[in-house]
Amino acid sequence: ILVAFIGKLFGPSLLLARIATAVFSLAAFYFSIRILKLTGTPVYYALGILFYPYFFNNSFVFYVINFGLFFFLWAFYLLRKRDTRPGYFSDFFIGFLLSMAILCQQFYLIIPVAIIIHRFLRLMGHRQEWNLAAIRQFALSSFLLAIPLALPAALFIKWGGLTHPNFNVHSL
Protein backbone atom coordinates (compact mmCIF):
# COMPACT_ATOMS: atom_id res chain seq x y z
CA ILE A 1 0.00 0.00 0.00
CA LEU A 2 2.81 2.40 0.90
CA VAL A 3 4.80 1.65 -2.24
CA ALA A 4 1.64 1.88 -4.37
CA PHE A 5 1.04 5.34 -2.89
CA ILE A 6 4.61 6.36 -3.72
CA GLY A 7 4.10 4.92 -7.20
CA LYS A 8 0.95 7.03 -7.64
CA LEU A 9 2.90 10.15 -6.69
CA PHE A 10 6.01 9.56 -8.81
CA GLY A 11 4.92 6.93 -11.32
CA PRO A 12 5.33 3.18 -10.89
CA SER A 13 8.90 1.96 -11.02
CA LEU A 14 10.75 -1.07 -9.72
CA LEU A 15 13.68 1.19 -8.89
CA LEU A 16 11.38 3.38 -6.80
CA ALA A 17 10.03 0.29 -4.99
CA ARG A 18 13.59 -0.82 -4.22
CA ILE A 19 14.52 2.65 -2.98
CA ALA A 20 11.46 2.66 -0.70
CA THR A 21 12.49 -0.73 0.66
CA ALA A 22 16.02 0.54 1.28
CA VAL A 23 14.68 3.60 3.12
CA PHE A 24 12.40 1.48 5.32
CA SER A 25 15.30 -0.91 5.98
CA LEU A 26 17.54 1.98 6.99
CA ALA A 27 14.79 3.25 9.31
CA ALA A 28 14.46 -0.25 10.82
CA PHE A 29 18.22 -0.24 11.42
CA TYR A 30 17.87 3.19 13.08
CA PHE A 31 15.20 1.87 15.47
CA SER A 32 17.39 -1.14 16.29
CA ILE A 33 20.12 1.31 17.32
CA ARG A 34 17.64 3.30 19.42
CA ILE A 35 16.46 0.12 21.17
CA LEU A 36 20.04 -0.90 21.90
CA LYS A 37 20.68 2.52 23.44
CA LEU A 38 17.54 2.21 25.59
CA THR A 39 18.65 -1.14 26.94
CA GLY A 40 22.23 -0.02 27.57
CA THR A 41 23.64 -2.48 25.03
CA PRO A 42 26.65 -1.35 22.97
CA VAL A 43 25.44 0.20 19.72
CA TYR A 44 27.91 -1.72 17.56
CA TYR A 45 25.74 -4.82 18.17
CA ALA A 46 23.43 -3.32 15.55
CA LEU A 47 26.01 -4.30 12.93
CA GLY A 48 24.83 -7.87 13.47
CA ILE A 49 21.41 -6.79 12.25
CA LEU A 50 22.76 -4.68 9.41
CA PHE A 51 24.91 -7.45 7.98
CA TYR A 52 22.49 -10.29 8.66
CA PRO A 53 22.00 -11.73 5.15
CA TYR A 54 18.21 -11.85 5.28
CA PHE A 55 18.10 -8.20 6.33
CA PHE A 56 20.88 -6.89 4.09
CA ASN A 57 19.78 -8.68 0.91
CA ASN A 58 16.13 -7.78 1.40
CA SER A 59 17.07 -4.13 1.82
CA PHE A 60 17.81 -3.75 -1.87
CA VAL A 61 14.96 -5.70 -3.45
CA PHE A 62 11.23 -5.12 -3.23
CA TYR A 63 10.27 -7.48 -0.42
CA VAL A 64 7.96 -6.65 2.48
CA ILE A 65 9.84 -8.44 5.23
CA ASN A 66 11.89 -5.33 6.07
CA PHE A 67 8.74 -3.19 6.06
CA GLY A 68 7.32 -5.49 8.73
CA LEU A 69 10.57 -5.33 10.68
CA PHE A 70 10.48 -1.53 10.52
CA PHE A 71 6.94 -1.36 11.95
CA PHE A 72 7.76 -3.97 14.62
CA LEU A 73 10.97 -2.24 15.75
CA TRP A 74 9.23 1.14 15.88
CA ALA A 75 6.45 -0.40 17.98
CA PHE A 76 8.97 -2.15 20.23
CA TYR A 77 10.90 1.10 20.68
CA LEU A 78 7.71 2.94 21.68
CA LEU A 79 6.74 0.06 23.95
CA ARG A 80 10.06 0.39 25.76
CA LYS A 81 9.61 4.17 25.97
CA ARG A 82 6.05 3.62 27.25
CA ASP A 83 7.45 1.78 30.26
CA THR A 84 9.05 5.04 31.40
CA ARG A 85 6.30 7.40 30.20
CA PRO A 86 2.93 5.59 30.03
CA GLY A 87 0.19 7.01 27.88
CA TYR A 88 -2.98 5.78 26.26
CA PHE A 89 -2.25 7.32 22.86
CA SER A 90 1.00 5.37 22.75
CA ASP A 91 -0.96 2.13 23.27
CA PHE A 92 -3.17 2.93 20.29
CA PHE A 93 -0.20 3.93 18.12
CA ILE A 94 1.74 0.80 19.13
CA GLY A 95 -1.32 -1.23 18.14
CA PHE A 96 -1.42 0.58 14.79
CA LEU A 97 2.26 -0.10 14.14
CA LEU A 98 1.83 -3.75 15.07
CA SER A 99 -1.17 -4.06 12.76
CA MET A 100 0.99 -2.67 9.94
CA ALA A 101 3.69 -5.22 10.83
CA ILE A 102 1.07 -7.99 10.78
CA LEU A 103 -0.07 -6.92 7.33
CA CYS A 104 3.56 -7.25 6.16
CA GLN A 105 4.37 -10.53 7.91
CA GLN A 106 1.76 -12.74 9.56
CA PHE A 107 3.99 -14.02 12.33
CA TYR A 108 3.89 -10.61 14.06
CA LEU A 109 0.32 -11.52 15.06
CA ILE A 110 1.60 -13.05 18.29
CA ILE A 111 3.24 -9.80 19.49
CA PRO A 112 0.09 -7.87 20.55
CA VAL A 113 -1.26 -11.02 22.20
CA ALA A 114 2.03 -11.45 24.07
CA ILE A 115 1.97 -7.81 25.21
CA ILE A 116 -1.55 -8.15 26.62
CA ILE A 117 -0.73 -11.47 28.32
CA HIS A 118 2.44 -9.95 29.81
CA ARG A 119 0.49 -6.98 31.17
CA PHE A 120 -2.15 -9.32 32.60
CA LEU A 121 0.46 -11.51 34.30
CA ARG A 122 2.18 -8.41 35.67
CA LEU A 123 -1.18 -7.26 37.07
CA MET A 124 -1.77 -10.70 38.58
CA GLY A 125 1.68 -10.61 40.18
CA HIS A 126 0.82 -7.39 42.01
CA ARG A 127 -2.38 -8.60 43.67
CA GLN A 128 -1.70 -6.62 46.83
CA GLU A 129 -1.84 -3.45 44.69
CA TRP A 130 -5.08 -4.37 42.95
CA ASN A 131 -7.61 -1.63 42.83
CA LEU A 132 -10.21 -0.43 40.40
CA ALA A 133 -7.80 2.08 38.84
CA ALA A 134 -5.17 -0.60 38.07
CA ILE A 135 -7.76 -2.92 36.53
CA ARG A 136 -9.27 -0.07 34.53
CA GLN A 137 -5.81 0.97 33.29
CA PHE A 138 -5.06 -2.60 32.16
CA ALA A 139 -8.42 -2.93 30.40
CA LEU A 140 -8.21 0.46 28.68
CA SER A 141 -4.60 0.07 27.55
CA SER A 142 -5.30 -3.45 26.23
CA PHE A 143 -8.42 -2.23 24.42
CA LEU A 144 -6.55 0.69 22.83
CA LEU A 145 -3.74 -1.66 21.79
CA ALA A 146 -6.26 -4.05 20.22
CA ILE A 147 -8.43 -1.52 18.32
CA PRO A 148 -6.05 -1.14 15.34
CA LEU A 149 -5.90 -4.92 15.05
CA ALA A 150 -9.42 -4.79 13.61
CA LEU A 151 -7.99 -4.24 10.11
CA PRO A 152 -5.86 -7.41 10.07
CA ALA A 153 -8.72 -9.27 11.77
CA ALA A 154 -11.20 -8.13 9.11
CA LEU A 155 -8.83 -9.21 6.36
CA PHE A 156 -8.28 -12.52 8.11
CA ILE A 157 -12.02 -13.18 8.15
CA LYS A 158 -12.65 -11.94 4.61
CA TRP A 159 -9.69 -13.71 3.00
CA GLY A 160 -9.65 -16.79 5.22
CA GLY A 161 -6.11 -15.87 6.34
CA LEU A 162 -3.82 -12.89 6.04
CA THR A 163 -2.76 -13.81 2.52
CA HIS A 164 -4.78 -12.48 -0.38
CA PRO A 165 -6.92 -15.21 -2.02
CA ASN A 166 -4.99 -14.75 -5.29
CA PHE A 167 -1.98 -16.30 -3.56
CA ASN A 168 -3.94 -19.43 -2.56
CA VAL A 169 -3.18 -21.28 -5.78
CA HIS A 170 -1.22 -24.11 -4.17
CA SER A 171 -2.80 -26.80 -2.05
CA LEU A 172 -1.13 -29.37 0.12
Side-chain angles (χ1 to χ4, degrees):
I1 294 171
L2 295 170
V3 174
F5 176 73
I6 294 169
K8 290 279 187 190
L9 290 177
F10 301 105
S13 164
L14 182 58
L15 178 63
L16 190 63
R18 288 180 173 185
I19 290 171
T21 305
V23 168
F24 272 84
S25 298
L26 184 62
F29 179 66
Y30 168 78
F31 278 115
S32 68
I33 290 172
R34 299 292 299 190
I35 291 167
L36 289 172
K37 283 183 179 179
L38 273 177
T39 60
T41 307
V43 177
Y44 65 85
Y45 281 21
L47 293 176
I49 294 169
L50 180 65
F51 293 114
Y52 184 64
Y54 292 108
F55 177 81
F56 191 75
N57 291 341
N58 295 334
S59 296
F60 302 104
V61 297
F62 181 57
Y63 194 54
V64 296
I65 193 166
N66 285 10
F67 287 84
L69 184 65
F70 163 74
F71 290 119
F72 166 70
L73 289 175
W74 191 4
F76 188 72
Y77 173 73
L78 292 177
L79 192 63
R80 292 289 303 194
K81 294 285 279 186
R82 187 198 176 283
D83 289 343
T84 58
R85 285 181 270 151
Y88 292 121
F89 176 74
S90 64
D91 286 322
F92 180 79
F93 192 62
I94 289 168
F96 170 76
L97 291 172
L98 289 174
S99 70
M100 296 296 286
I102 292 166
L103 290 174
C104 294
Q105 292 289 141
Q106 295 178 22
F107 61 81
Y108 288 116
L109 188 58
I110 193 65
I111 302 298
V113 175
I115 292 169
I116 292 171
I117 289 172
H118 169 73
R119 288 178 179 175
F120 178 74
L121 291 175
R122 191 169 53 187
L123 180 68
M124 294 298 288
H126 297 288
R127 285 189 181 170
Q128 66 275 10
E129 298 173 17
W130 272 17
N131 57 33
L132 189 58
I135 294 171
R136 186 180 319 131
Q137 179 184 3
F138 164 75
L140 184 59
S141 67
S142 297
F143 178 70
L144 289 172
L145 182 75
I147 286 175
L149 300 175
L151 176 62
L155 288 176
F156 184 82
I157 292 167
K158 180 167 177 55
W159 291 347
L162 285 176
T163 305
H164 192 278
N166 288 348
F167 294 114
N168 296 332
V169 294
H170 303 287
S171 62
L172 293 177

PDB file of all heavy atoms in Angstrom, residues 101-111 156 159-164 168:
ATOM      1  N   ALA A 101       2.710  -4.132  10.884  1.00  0.00           N
ATOM      2  CA  ALA A 101       3.690  -5.221  10.832  1.00  0.00           C
ATOM      3  C   ALA A 101       2.997  -6.542  10.492  1.00  0.00           C
ATOM      4  O   ALA A 101       3.527  -7.338   9.702  1.00  0.00           O
ATOM      5  CB  ALA A 101       4.431  -5.337  12.162  1.00  0.00           C
ATOM      6  N   ILE A 102       1.826  -6.767  11.055  1.00  0.00           N
ATOM      7  CA  ILE A 102       1.069  -7.993  10.777  1.00  0.00           C
ATOM      8  C   ILE A 102       0.674  -8.058   9.312  1.00  0.00           C
ATOM      9  O   ILE A 102       0.723  -9.122   8.693  1.00  0.00           O
ATOM     10  CB  ILE A 102      -0.165  -8.082  11.692  1.00  0.00           C
ATOM     11  CG1 ILE A 102       0.262  -8.307  13.137  1.00  0.00           C
ATOM     12  CG2 ILE A 102      -1.111  -9.195  11.237  1.00  0.00           C
ATOM     13  CD1 ILE A 102      -0.848  -8.075  14.150  1.00  0.00           C
ATOM     14  N   LEU A 103       0.296  -6.932   8.744  1.00  0.00           N
ATOM     15  CA  LEU A 103      -0.067  -6.919   7.332  1.00  0.00           C
ATOM     16  C   LEU A 103       1.138  -7.209   6.434  1.00  0.00           C
ATOM     17  O   LEU A 103       0.980  -7.680   5.314  1.00  0.00           O
ATOM     18  CB  LEU A 103      -0.706  -5.582   6.956  1.00  0.00           C
ATOM     19  CG  LEU A 103      -2.097  -5.347   7.534  1.00  0.00           C
ATOM     20  CD1 LEU A 103      -2.573  -3.936   7.227  1.00  0.00           C
ATOM     21  CD2 LEU A 103      -3.080  -6.376   7.024  1.00  0.00           C
ATOM     22  N   CYS A 104       2.342  -6.937   6.922  1.00  0.00           N
ATOM     23  CA  CYS A 104       3.557  -7.246   6.159  1.00  0.00           C
ATOM     24  C   CYS A 104       3.992  -8.697   6.358  1.00  0.00           C
ATOM     25  O   CYS A 104       4.419  -9.347   5.409  1.00  0.00           O
ATOM     26  CB  CYS A 104       4.694  -6.315   6.578  1.00  0.00           C
ATOM     27  SG  CYS A 104       4.432  -4.592   6.157  1.00  0.00           S
ATOM     28  N   GLN A 105       3.939  -9.165   7.566  1.00  0.00           N
ATOM     29  CA  GLN A 105       4.365 -10.530   7.909  1.00  0.00           C
ATOM     30  C   GLN A 105       3.413 -11.078   8.959  1.00  0.00           C
ATOM     31  O   GLN A 105       3.285 -10.491  10.039  1.00  0.00           O
ATOM     32  CB  GLN A 105       5.781 -10.540   8.475  1.00  0.00           C
ATOM     33  CG  GLN A 105       6.852 -10.185   7.499  1.00  0.00           C
ATOM     34  CD  GLN A 105       7.091 -11.253   6.460  1.00  0.00           C
ATOM     35  OE1 GLN A 105       7.312 -10.928   5.322  1.00  0.00           O
ATOM     36  NE2 GLN A 105       7.062 -12.503   6.817  1.00  0.00           N
ATOM     37  N   GLN A 106       2.781 -12.190   8.686  1.00  0.00           N
ATOM     38  CA  GLN A 106       1.756 -12.740   9.564  1.00  0.00           C
ATOM     39  C   GLN A 106       2.272 -13.126  10.942  1.00  0.00           C
ATOM     40  O   GLN A 106       1.523 -13.063  11.914  1.00  0.00           O
ATOM     41  CB  GLN A 106       1.121 -13.970   8.928  1.00  0.00           C
ATOM     42  CG  GLN A 106       0.366 -13.678   7.678  1.00  0.00           C
ATOM     43  CD  GLN A 106      -0.205 -14.940   7.077  1.00  0.00           C
ATOM     44  OE1 GLN A 106      -0.377 -15.936   7.764  1.00  0.00           O
ATOM     45  NE2 GLN A 106      -0.495 -14.906   5.798  1.00  0.00           N
ATOM     46  N   PHE A 107       3.523 -13.508  11.050  1.00  0.00           N
ATOM     47  CA  PHE A 107       3.994 -14.016  12.334  1.00  0.00           C
ATOM     48  C   PHE A 107       4.057 -12.938  13.414  1.00  0.00           C
ATOM     49  O   PHE A 107       4.208 -13.258  14.584  1.00  0.00           O
ATOM     50  CB  PHE A 107       5.345 -14.735  12.197  1.00  0.00           C
ATOM     51  CG  PHE A 107       6.463 -13.892  11.687  1.00  0.00           C
ATOM     52  CD1 PHE A 107       7.158 -13.040  12.520  1.00  0.00           C
ATOM     53  CD2 PHE A 107       6.840 -13.968  10.362  1.00  0.00           C
ATOM     54  CE1 PHE A 107       8.201 -12.287  12.057  1.00  0.00           C
ATOM     55  CE2 PHE A 107       7.883 -13.207   9.873  1.00  0.00           C
ATOM     56  CZ  PHE A 107       8.568 -12.370  10.717  1.00  0.00           C
ATOM     57  N   TYR A 108       3.934 -11.667  13.048  1.00  0.00           N
ATOM     58  CA  TYR A 108       3.891 -10.611  14.063  1.00  0.00           C
ATOM     59  C   TYR A 108       2.565 -10.613  14.822  1.00  0.00           C
ATOM     60  O   TYR A 108       2.401  -9.872  15.785  1.00  0.00           O
ATOM     61  CB  TYR A 108       4.122  -9.235  13.432  1.00  0.00           C
ATOM     62  CG  TYR A 108       5.549  -9.011  13.001  1.00  0.00           C
ATOM     63  CD1 TYR A 108       5.876  -8.826  11.665  1.00  0.00           C
ATOM     64  CD2 TYR A 108       6.585  -8.982  13.923  1.00  0.00           C
ATOM     65  CE1 TYR A 108       7.172  -8.619  11.256  1.00  0.00           C
ATOM     66  CE2 TYR A 108       7.896  -8.779  13.525  1.00  0.00           C
ATOM     67  CZ  TYR A 108       8.181  -8.598  12.196  1.00  0.00           C
ATOM     68  OH  TYR A 108       9.470  -8.399  11.795  1.00  0.00           O
ATOM     69  N   LEU A 109       1.634 -11.437  14.417  1.00  0.00           N
ATOM     70  CA  LEU A 109       0.320 -11.520  15.059  1.00  0.00           C
ATOM     71  C   LEU A 109       0.428 -11.884  16.539  1.00  0.00           C
ATOM     72  O   LEU A 109      -0.398 -11.467  17.343  1.00  0.00           O
ATOM     73  CB  LEU A 109      -0.534 -12.549  14.322  1.00  0.00           C
ATOM     74  CG  LEU A 109      -1.993 -12.670  14.703  1.00  0.00           C
ATOM     75  CD1 LEU A 109      -2.700 -11.335  14.513  1.00  0.00           C
ATOM     76  CD2 LEU A 109      -2.668 -13.729  13.860  1.00  0.00           C
ATOM     77  N   ILE A 110       1.455 -12.616  16.903  1.00  0.00           N
ATOM     78  CA  ILE A 110       1.596 -13.049  18.289  1.00  0.00           C
ATOM     79  C   ILE A 110       2.053 -11.910  19.207  1.00  0.00           C
ATOM     80  O   ILE A 110       1.823 -11.949  20.413  1.00  0.00           O
ATOM     81  CB  ILE A 110       2.570 -14.253  18.384  1.00  0.00           C
ATOM     82  CG1 ILE A 110       2.496 -14.913  19.755  1.00  0.00           C
ATOM     83  CG2 ILE A 110       3.977 -13.833  18.071  1.00  0.00           C
ATOM     84  CD1 ILE A 110       1.185 -15.540  20.067  1.00  0.00           C
ATOM     85  N   ILE A 111       2.663 -10.868  18.661  1.00  0.00           N
ATOM     86  CA  ILE A 111       3.241  -9.803  19.493  1.00  0.00           C
ATOM     87  C   ILE A 111       2.184  -9.059  20.310  1.00  0.00           C
ATOM     88  O   ILE A 111       2.343  -8.924  21.528  1.00  0.00           O
ATOM     89  CB  ILE A 111       4.090  -8.835  18.640  1.00  0.00           C
ATOM     90  CG1 ILE A 111       5.209  -9.587  17.914  1.00  0.00           C
ATOM     91  CG2 ILE A 111       4.639  -7.702  19.476  1.00  0.00           C
ATOM     92  CD1 ILE A 111       6.207 -10.261  18.815  1.00  0.00           C
ATOM     93  N   PHE A 156      -8.380 -11.096   7.791  1.00  0.00           N
ATOM     94  CA  PHE A 156      -8.276 -12.518   8.105  1.00  0.00           C
ATOM     95  C   PHE A 156      -9.612 -13.217   7.891  1.00  0.00           C
ATOM     96  O   PHE A 156      -9.673 -14.298   7.309  1.00  0.00           O
ATOM     97  CB  PHE A 156      -7.807 -12.693   9.556  1.00  0.00           C
ATOM     98  CG  PHE A 156      -7.570 -14.117   9.941  1.00  0.00           C
ATOM     99  CD1 PHE A 156      -6.380 -14.738   9.616  1.00  0.00           C
ATOM    100  CD2 PHE A 156      -8.529 -14.842  10.622  1.00  0.00           C
ATOM    101  CE1 PHE A 156      -6.141 -16.051   9.966  1.00  0.00           C
ATOM    102  CE2 PHE A 156      -8.313 -16.158  10.975  1.00  0.00           C
ATOM    103  CZ  PHE A 156      -7.110 -16.764  10.646  1.00  0.00           C
ATOM    104  N   TRP A 159     -10.547 -12.933   3.895  1.00  0.00           N
ATOM    105  CA  TRP A 159      -9.686 -13.709   3.005  1.00  0.00           C
ATOM    106  C   TRP A 159      -9.509 -15.151   3.466  1.00  0.00           C
ATOM    107  O   TRP A 159      -8.957 -15.960   2.743  1.00  0.00           O
ATOM    108  CB  TRP A 159      -8.307 -13.069   2.894  1.00  0.00           C
ATOM    109  CG  TRP A 159      -8.286 -11.768   2.156  1.00  0.00           C
ATOM    110  CD1 TRP A 159      -9.266 -11.227   1.384  1.00  0.00           C
ATOM    111  CD2 TRP A 159      -7.199 -10.834   2.129  1.00  0.00           C
ATOM    112  NE1 TRP A 159      -8.872 -10.023   0.873  1.00  0.00           N
ATOM    113  CE2 TRP A 159      -7.601  -9.756   1.314  1.00  0.00           C
ATOM    114  CE3 TRP A 159      -5.944 -10.814   2.704  1.00  0.00           C
ATOM    115  CZ2 TRP A 159      -6.781  -8.668   1.066  1.00  0.00           C
ATOM    116  CZ3 TRP A 159      -5.128  -9.726   2.452  1.00  0.00           C
ATOM    117  CH2 TRP A 159      -5.553  -8.664   1.637  1.00  0.00           C
ATOM    118  N   GLY A 160      -9.897 -15.458   4.700  1.00  0.00           N
ATOM    119  CA  GLY A 160      -9.650 -16.794   5.223  1.00  0.00           C
ATOM    120  C   GLY A 160      -8.193 -16.971   5.620  1.00  0.00           C
ATOM    121  O   GLY A 160      -7.658 -18.062   5.596  1.00  0.00           O
ATOM    122  N   GLY A 161      -7.540 -15.911   5.987  1.00  0.00           N
ATOM    123  CA  GLY A 161      -6.114 -15.869   6.344  1.00  0.00           C
ATOM    124  C   GLY A 161      -5.603 -14.488   6.021  1.00  0.00           C
ATOM    125  O   GLY A 161      -6.350 -13.651   5.513  1.00  0.00           O
ATOM    126  N   LEU A 162      -4.361 -14.217   6.319  1.00  0.00           N
ATOM    127  CA  LEU A 162      -3.816 -12.890   6.038  1.00  0.00           C
ATOM    128  C   LEU A 162      -3.160 -12.795   4.673  1.00  0.00           C
ATOM    129  O   LEU A 162      -2.540 -11.805   4.344  1.00  0.00           O
ATOM    130  CB  LEU A 162      -2.815 -12.478   7.125  1.00  0.00           C
ATOM    131  CG  LEU A 162      -3.450 -12.076   8.442  1.00  0.00           C
ATOM    132  CD1 LEU A 162      -2.393 -11.785   9.483  1.00  0.00           C
ATOM    133  CD2 LEU A 162      -4.339 -10.860   8.263  1.00  0.00           C
ATOM    134  N   THR A 163      -3.296 -13.823   3.870  1.00  0.00           N
ATOM    135  CA  THR A 163      -2.763 -13.805   2.521  1.00  0.00           C
ATOM    136  C   THR A 163      -3.917 -13.622   1.553  1.00  0.00           C
ATOM    137  O   THR A 163      -4.960 -14.269   1.680  1.00  0.00           O
ATOM    138  CB  THR A 163      -2.035 -15.131   2.220  1.00  0.00           C
ATOM    139  OG1 THR A 163      -1.056 -15.342   3.229  1.00  0.00           O
ATOM    140  CG2 THR A 163      -1.346 -15.078   0.883  1.00  0.00           C
ATOM    141  N   HIS A 164      -3.739 -12.744   0.596  1.00  0.00           N
ATOM    142  CA  HIS A 164      -4.784 -12.477  -0.383  1.00  0.00           C
ATOM    143  C   HIS A 164      -5.180 -13.779  -1.101  1.00  0.00           C
ATOM    144  O   HIS A 164      -4.312 -14.601  -1.386  1.00  0.00           O
ATOM    145  CB  HIS A 164      -4.287 -11.445  -1.403  1.00  0.00           C
ATOM    146  CG  HIS A 164      -5.390 -10.895  -2.263  1.00  0.00           C
ATOM    147  ND1 HIS A 164      -5.840 -11.554  -3.359  1.00  0.00           N
ATOM    148  CD2 HIS A 164      -6.141  -9.779  -2.124  1.00  0.00           C
ATOM    149  CE1 HIS A 164      -6.821 -10.862  -3.922  1.00  0.00           C
ATOM    150  NE2 HIS A 164      -7.002  -9.769  -3.179  1.00  0.00           N
ATOM    151  N   ASN A 168      -3.546 -18.074  -2.985  1.00  0.00           N
ATOM    152  CA  ASN A 168      -3.937 -19.425  -2.558  1.00  0.00           C
ATOM    153  C   ASN A 168      -4.082 -20.364  -3.736  1.00  0.00           C
ATOM    154  O   ASN A 168      -5.090 -21.045  -3.892  1.00  0.00           O
ATOM    155  CB  ASN A 168      -5.245 -19.376  -1.757  1.00  0.00           C
ATOM    156  CG  ASN A 168      -5.091 -18.611  -0.465  1.00  0.00           C
ATOM    157  OD1 ASN A 168      -4.023 -18.556   0.090  1.00  0.00           O
ATOM    158  ND2 ASN A 168      -6.168 -18.013   0.007  1.00  0.00           N
TER     159      ASN A 168
END
